[in-house]
Amino acid sequence: MTQRSLSSLNWVSQFLEGTPGDEVTGGSPRQVPGACWSRVRPEPMPEPVLRLWSDEVAREIGLEVAEPGLLGGNGLVEGMDPYAQRYGGYQFGNWAGQLGDGRAITLGEVVKGNRVMELQLKGSGKTPYSRFSDGRAVLRSSIREFLCSEAMHHLGVPTTRALSLVTTGEDVIRDVMYDGRPAPEPGAIVCRVAESFIRFGSFEIHSMSGDGRTLRILVDDTVRRHFPGHSSDTDEGLVEWLMEVAARTSQTIAHWMRVGFVHGVMNTDNMSIHGLTIDYGPYGWLEGFEPGWTPNTTDSGTRRYSYGQQAQIGAWNIARLLEAISPLMEDPVRLNGVLDSYYDSYREHSSRMWAEKLGLDEFEEGDGDLVTDLTSNLQLTETDMTIFFRLLSTIDGTDLENLDPAFYDEGEIRSDEWNAWLTRWWDRVDGKPDRGAMLQANPKYVLRNWMAQLAIDAAEKGDYSVAMELYEMLKNPYSEQSEHEEKWFSKRPEWARNRVGCSMLSCSS
Ligand code: AMP
Ligand code: MG
C-alpha cells in the first residue's frame, strides 16, 4: 500500500470561498482594501531538506510521509490554492493599519473526519503583505517556533502546532539586535497547522476602514465554520460568541501564567480568534520568578508585554476586538458584558490553576493571600520558577532545605519568610497536598531560553540531535524522565545570563 502523501489529503478552500479576496494573484507589497486574502505562490527554494518532523501532527491530518520539497514551498499538489491572509493590528498599543501574512502562506485546508485544519508555510517568500521585508524566516526562529509550539501542546496549553521544519539551502540576511550589523543566516520554513490563523486583527482591519460589509461576511463565516452552536445573526448571538472567544483567551493566558511562558508580542495581530497561542517570536520562559520580565528587547522600555502584564493585556486586546465587532451590533453597549466575562473567566481559571499548583482541594477565600505572599517570597531572591513548583509538588513536610535547588544563591535564602509561608501552606492542606494535581500542574521540563539556544547552536552547525532530544523530552513535560534530570531540570547556566537569544530576543526573525 502506498503511504498517504500531501496529494492524497482532502484539500478544500473554505476561507477563499466564504470571504471576499484580492482580484490579483501575488504582486508587490500594497494596500488591498476590502479583501480578507490574496492568492500567492510560495517561492521555490534551492535545496529543501527536512530537519524536524512531528509524527503526531502528521497523524492528525492523515499524513504518512514527509515531502521536503512541498513543505519547503517547491510546487503544489492538486487541491492546494495558496493564499496570504490580510489583517491589521494594534502594535504596542497603537493602530498599525494593514499588516497581513507577510511571510506566511497558507497552502490550503485539509478535511479529516469532522475537522478542518489549515496548513501554513512560514518563511516561504513575499506576499502583498510583506511591507518592507523579505518574506523569509531564519533557522533560529524556526527552531524556536517548532519546539515551542509542540512543547506547549504537550503542556496542555492551547496552541497552533508544527508539522515540519525544512531548511531552504538559502541564506537570509538579518540584523539580530538591530545594531547595524546584518549577517547571513540559514533560511528555514516551518509548516504550521491550526484550525485557522484568523486573528483579532483580521476583524479590526475591516472595522477600522469602515468596511462593515466585509466585516459582516468574515464574522458570519468565522462563526459558522469555527464556532458550531453559535450564531452571529443577533446581538445576543454575537455577545455569546465573543464571550466564548474571551473565555478561551483567558484560559490560554492563565495557562501561560501557570507554566511561566511570556509571549513577548501580544499585539492584536498575534491574538488567535480560537484563543490559541500563536506567532512564536521573541517569547521566553521565566527562569527566575520576575513578573516584570520580558524577553523582547523591543519592549524593554515599557515592558508592556512582561509576564505579569499578560492577563491585563488580554483584556485590552479583547476590548479592541469588541470595538471592531461593535458596528455589527444594534445595541453595542451590550458588549460591556463580554469584558466583564473575560475578567470573571480569567479569575476562575487562574484560581483553579493556583489551587492545582499548590495542591489545594479548591480555591477558597483567603487563598488569594497565600498566593500573593508566595509570589512575593519568590521575588526575595532569584528563584527558579519551574524547579520551585516541581520540588514543592513532592516536598515532604515543610523542610525548606528540600527547596534549595530552586535558589540561585543558597546564601541568600530568606528562611524566616519561607518557613512562615511553608507552615501556612502545610496547615492549609492539612499536611496532605493533592500531589497528583500538583504534578500535573507544575511541569518538570519547559523549553528554557538557553535550551532552545543550545538546539539552535548545534543546528546551525548541521547537528539536529539537540533539537530532537528536546522535542522528544518535551512530549512528556510532567513525567520524571530521570535520565534528563541532570542536564535539563536545571537552572540557567551562567553563560546564558546575558547571551542574545537567551535573555534578549528581538523581533528579527
Ligand atoms: P510579527 O511581529 O512576527 O507578528 O509580525 C508582524 C508583521 O510583520 C506581520 O504582518 C508579519 O507578516 C510581518 N513580517 C514579519 N517578518 C517578516 C518578514 N521577514 N517578511 C515579511 N513580513 C514580515
Ligand atoms: Mg504576527
Side-chain angles (χ1 to χ4, degrees), residues 17 39 102 108 302 316 398 402 489 500 509:
E17 281 157 18
R39 281 197 169 84
T302 56
W316 194 90
T398 56
N402 289 323
F489 183 61
V500 173
S509 52

Side-chain angles (χ1 to χ4, degrees), residues 76-88:
L76 300 171
V77 300
E78 204 181 319
M80 287 178 182
D81 192 357
Y83 68 87
Q85 197 198 144
R86 176 171 177 259
Y87 51 79

Side-chain angles (χ1 to χ4, degrees), residues 429-490:
V429 296
D430 265 338
K432 294 186 289 288
D434 182 346
R435 296 195 189 282
M438 290 179 85
L439 289 167
Q440 285 306 304
N442 298 318
K444 179 158 181 180
Y445 301 102
V446 296
L447 184 65
R448 293 165 180 274
N449 315 305
W450 53 272
M451 290 164 60
Q453 190 59 44
L454 288 174
I456 292 164
D457 290 345
E460 288 181 342
K461 295 189 190 102
D463 171 9
Y464 288 82
S465 64
V466 184
M468 279 192 260
E469 180 182 344
L470 294 179
Y471 166 63
E472 289 299 330
M473 177 180 81
L474 294 168
K475 282 185 185 172
N476 295 295
Y478 300 104
S479 64
E480 287 303 321
Q481 304 190 73
S482 49
E483 69 279 18
H484 289 303
E485 189 169 294
E486 199 181 322
K487 203 154 140 204
W488 303 124
F489 183 61
S490 165

Side-chain angles (χ1 to χ4, degrees), residues 193-215:
V193 179
E195 200 176 334
S196 93
F197 292 90
I198 297 171
R199 299 123 194 282
F200 290 9
S202 309
F203 303 93
E204 289 164 355
I205 186 73
H206 307 301
S207 197
M208 291 299 274
S209 49
D211 184 354
R213 191 182 146 270
T214 308
L215 176 67

Side-chain angles (χ1 to χ4, degrees), residues 87 199 269-270 279:
Y87 51 79
R199 299 123 194 282
D269 52 305
N270 293 337
D279 280 11

Side-chain angles (χ1 to χ4, degrees), residues 87 91 99-104 122 129-131 133-137 174 265 267 269-270 279 507 509:
Y87 51 79
Q91 296 186 315
L99 299 167
D101 289 333
R103 55 157 165 193
K122 189 167 172 182
Y129 310 102
S130 297
R131 298 183 293 160
S133 202
D134 56 6
R136 304 282 202 261
R174 286 289 181 272
V265 210
N267 292 334
D269 52 305
N270 293 337
D279 280 11
C507 293
S509 52

